[in-house]
Amino acid sequence: MGMASSILSFLLVSALCLLSSPAPAVAQNLPPIVNGLSFTFYKSSCPKLESIVKDFLKKQFEKDIGLAAGLLRIHFHDCFVQGCDGSVLLDGSASGPSEQDAPPNLTLRPAAFQAINDLRALIDGQCGRVVSCADVVALAARDSVVLSGGPNYKVPLGRRDGVTFATRNATLASLPAPTFNVTQILPVLSRISLDADDLVALSGGHTIGRGHCSSFSNRLFPSRDPTMDQTFFNNLRIPARLPTPTRRRRWTSAARTCSTTSTMWI
Ligand code: HEM
């Protein structure tokens, strides 16, 4: 577990950044970071940035810990599509629908987008408009991991926000589909210099959060996908957060196939 945590921390720092040639880290024991980022980027312009983010999220998570999963996933969906540039936050414009409207992003949580907006307003109020949205997203993802009981890691800062968003097709091509197996996911990752070890570590992101039934029902119905572990299959068929009688009712009446609104927790 210790090793897995370290690997996840390392990857979340180094992999979910704009990928280019590595520069030396500013201090010992920190992973290498890409050119242009720094661990002290807002030291003078917004010295309390990290505590503003963490304190705000602590309060929000007391009301809804699911928000942590929503924020972590936004960071992933931002970074895999044209780099960590905050473009997933942009609304559509006259030029066409935004990344947010592309199918993989339709299940990103509105509450998580709202939290980023609220954080932006808070940070702007204290520091002026000096912090990029992409950095706010990266910090919020880190604190989501930490405040959910996951490993801590330092986040290098200084990402620039993109002014354009990706098209529907570019978004679809950049994010692995829910139906992809490892053989299909690996080439998508290799385009951004990630490999099988990275995939194992990043999949740890799924320790928290939910999956809509429709994202994996093809492996449950009409019968178990033979490559799926039997115990895992049994557990997936029971929405874990529901009390037992409700679970049974839900399973027998509604969940033989998925309605578009049904949700299971993973
Ligand atoms: C690499 C291939 C990946 C695939 C195919 C994948 C697929 C999925 C799918 C299908 C869901 C459920 C969506 C829904 O039905 O609402 C999901 C949820 C989630 N994913 Fe991934 N994912 C991948 C990588 C990652 C990575 C790298 C992270 C972060 C490090 C991540 C974090 C999450 C989180 C936190 C959730 C739960 C979101 C919530 O509860 O709102 N995923 N993912």
Side-chain angles (χ1 to χ4, degrees):
M1 180 58 197
M3 176 64 85
S5 300
S6 322
I7 294 172
L8 177 61
S9 313
F10 171 78
L11 287 166
L12 285 167
V13 171
S14 58
L16 294 179
C17 294
L18 290 170
L19 291 155
S20 67
S21 48
V26 291
Q28 240 181 348
N29 300 326
L30 292 174
I33 56 173
V34 297
N35 288 321
L37 300 191
S38 134
F39 289 103
T40 52
F41 196 82
Y42 300 108
K43 197 170 176 216
S44 20
S45 58
C46 196
K48 295 204 173 132
L49 172 63
E50 301 214 12
S51 57
I52 297 172
V53 175
K54 187 167 272 172
D55 292 348
F56 174 82
L57 290 180
K58 248 186 217 163
K59 284 188 211 126
Q60 298 299 312
F61 293 167
E62 277 164 21
K63 291 181 258 171
D64 174 17
I65 188 59
L67 181 60
L71 288 166
L72 178 58
R73 191 165 180 236
I74 282 186
H75 186 37
F76 158 52
H77 281 221
D78 182 30
C79 293
F80 268 53
V81 182
Q82 67 182 33
C84 308
D85 65 346
S87 58
V88 72
L89 305 172
L90 296 172
D91 291 334
S93 68
S95 62
S98 66
E99 274 174 54
Q100 269 180 49
D101 301 316
N105 290 336
L106 294 177
T107 48
L108 292 176
R109 299 192 194 211
F113 284 115
Q114 186 58 52
I116 298 292
N117 276 351
D118 294 347
L119 263 173
R120 262 314 294 250
L122 205 57
I123 294 163
D124 288 358
Q126 297 204 27
C127 305
R129 294 186 68 96
V130 291
V131 179
S132 70
C133 292
D135 279 344
V136 176
V137 169
L139 286 172
R142 188 273 308 277
D143 290 339
S144 295
V145 171
V146 175
L147 294 170
S148 311
N152 200 354
Y153 54 94
K154 283 196 171 298
V155 177
L157 298 168
R159 292 163 192 77
R160 300 291 181 201
D161 287 336
V163 288
T164 55
F165 45 76
T167 61
R168 180 183 193 274
N169 285 348
T171 307
L172 279 166
S174 305
L175 290 164
T179 51
F180 274 16
N181 60 26
V182 172
T183 313
Q184 292 167 305
I185 292 175
L186 285 175
V188 181
L189 263 62
S190 77
R191 292 205 296 262
I192 49 173
S193 309
L194 299 179
D195 63 16
D197 287 348
D198 301 323
L199 176 58
V200 171
L202 287 172
S203 295
H206 294 133
T207 309
I208 56 173
R210 69 185 180 194
H212 288 80
C213 191
S214 52
S215 297
F216 53 89
S217 59
N218 61 318
R219 303 187 69 199
L220 306 182
F221 307 107
S223 57
R224 176 175 64 94
D225 172 343
T227 63
M228 183 184 270
D229 176 79
Q230 178 72 55
T231 310
F232 183 49
F233 169 76
N234 293 342
N235 290 339
L236 275 180
R237 292 202 315 180
I238 303 171
R241 284 166 53 93
L242 298 175
T244 309
T246 321
R247 277 188 222 165
R248 289 215 186 89
R249 252 200 329 274
R250 183 68 71 85
W251 165 242
T252 49
S253 61
R256 277 192 195 286
T257 56
C258 296
S259 74
T260 47
T261 51
S262 63
T263 300
M264 288 183 174
W265 289 79
I266 52 180

